[in-house]
Amino acid sequence: MRMSILQGATMQASAGRGAAAGQAPAAIPMQAPIGAEIVGIDVGAGATDADYEFLRDALHEYSVIVLRGQGITPAQQQAFAGQFGDLRTSFYNRYAVPGTPALTVVSNIRRDDGELIGIADAGMLWHTDGSYLKTPDMYTLLYGIEIPQQDGRVLGDTVFASAWSAYDALPSDLKGRVDGLRATHSFTAHIAKKEAKGQLKRAPLSAEQRNALPDVDHPVVRTHPVNGRKCLFVTEGHTSDIVGLEPGESAELLAFLTEHIKKPQFQYRHSWRKGDLLVWDNCALQHLAVFDYGQIPRRLHRAGIAGPVPV
């Protein structure tokens, strides 16, 4: 297990703050290249400024952090998320949590009329949230409400891969080749990929929504705006081509890079529990949802935080 510069760090805990009272926040690293569990912070009871500073530091060190056993309301999740930056309201506002427009329902559950209550196909391809936007999501916060199980086994894991570890592991000649290149990220191409694989389950976009999502170009290698790490920023889900390369060369390079980042040595696989609140850094990693639960109910609430233009 990696040692943490944050593990055992002392912070003043607010008196009377529920289960966290008297316990200093600490980050316990996962037995994986990325990820840490945070203890000593009860979001529902209220986090302090020192707590948020601790969480941001942990997030930028571990890329994904897990706060377990958080019994929170949608309003509390939205308020907590807003402390990490500007909340982004999804263009899929038909799936917003009532009363909290910055939260989106991710679920396979259907209403009595057969309509899905949330996005049912989110995360079927490796991606980083909002990369198809000029200012992609910097952070994502996902809260587990209904977690599928079968025969005592938890289903519906989320797998994360470190984009900076994947970059660091590239041969030096390949680093030299990809540094400075740009790639096109396309929501239209993303939907087409899902349709081709028979994975598309969400309601179709309106013409107005499609027009509001033009293709964008981002660096193939992105520099993290806080810690300065270089991260691969091309994905299986949303990257359609590398700008300036012939189609065959572009496809070959993209295939190599998107397969490279999926390697197990870069991954942390999260097994969900009800009440888990995950926060992750979309510059530093990519993620994939595991769809192994069929029609067993699953429901989570997601918040996205707008980030800067990638450089």
Side-chain angles (χ1 to χ4, degrees), residues 122-193:
M124 283 187 166
L125 299 170
W126 283 94
H127 68 291
T128 179
D129 290 336
S131 72
Y132 50 86
L133 300 171
K134 183 179 180 180
T135 56
D137 290 4
M138 186 66 197
Y139 310 118
T140 298
L141 297 91
L142 192 61
Y143 178 57
I145 298 169
E146 292 185 59
I147 306 303
Q149 296 188 38
Q150 187 174 59
D151 300 325
R153 184 170 66 93
V154 175
L155 306 173
D157 291 356
T158 302
V159 188
F160 298 91
S162 174
W164 59 266
S165 294
Y167 174 79
D168 286 349
L170 289 175
S172 57
D173 61 335
L174 188 51
K175 287 180 181 177
R177 181 183 177 193
V178 298
D179 281 337
L181 291 178
R182 298 184 67 84
T184 301
H185 294 247
S186 170
F187 192 80
T188 301
H190 173 68
I191 293 298
K193 289 177 183 179

Side-chain angles (χ1 to χ4, degrees), residues 205-227:
L205 291 176
S206 67
E208 182 180 7
Q209 288 172 320
R210 288 195 301 271
N211 292 336
L213 293 169
D215 294 353
V216 295
D217 293 349
H218 293 309
V220 170
V221 179
R222 179 181 180 184
T223 300
H224 195 283
V226 177
N227 59 35

Side-chain angles (χ1 to χ4, degrees), residues 43-47 52 70-83 87 96-104 141 143 145 277 299 301-303:
V43 174
Y52 286 116
Q70 302 293 320
I72 56 175
T73 65
Q76 288 171 327
Q77 182 184 354
Q78 182 170 272
F80 178 75
Q83 295 297 316
L87 289 162
V97 178
T100 46
L103 298 187
T104 300
L141 297 91
Y143 178 57
I145 298 169
L277 177 59
R299 180 161 60 104
H301 288 172
R302 177 195 178 279

Side-chain angles (χ1 to χ4, degrees), residues 142-144 147 154 156-158 270-273 276 278 298 300:
L142 192 61
Y143 178 57
I147 306 303
V154 175
D157 291 356
T158 302
H270 183 72
S271 179
W272 285 88
R273 302 176 193 170
D276 280 358
L278 267 63
R298 183 176 188 261
L300 306 97

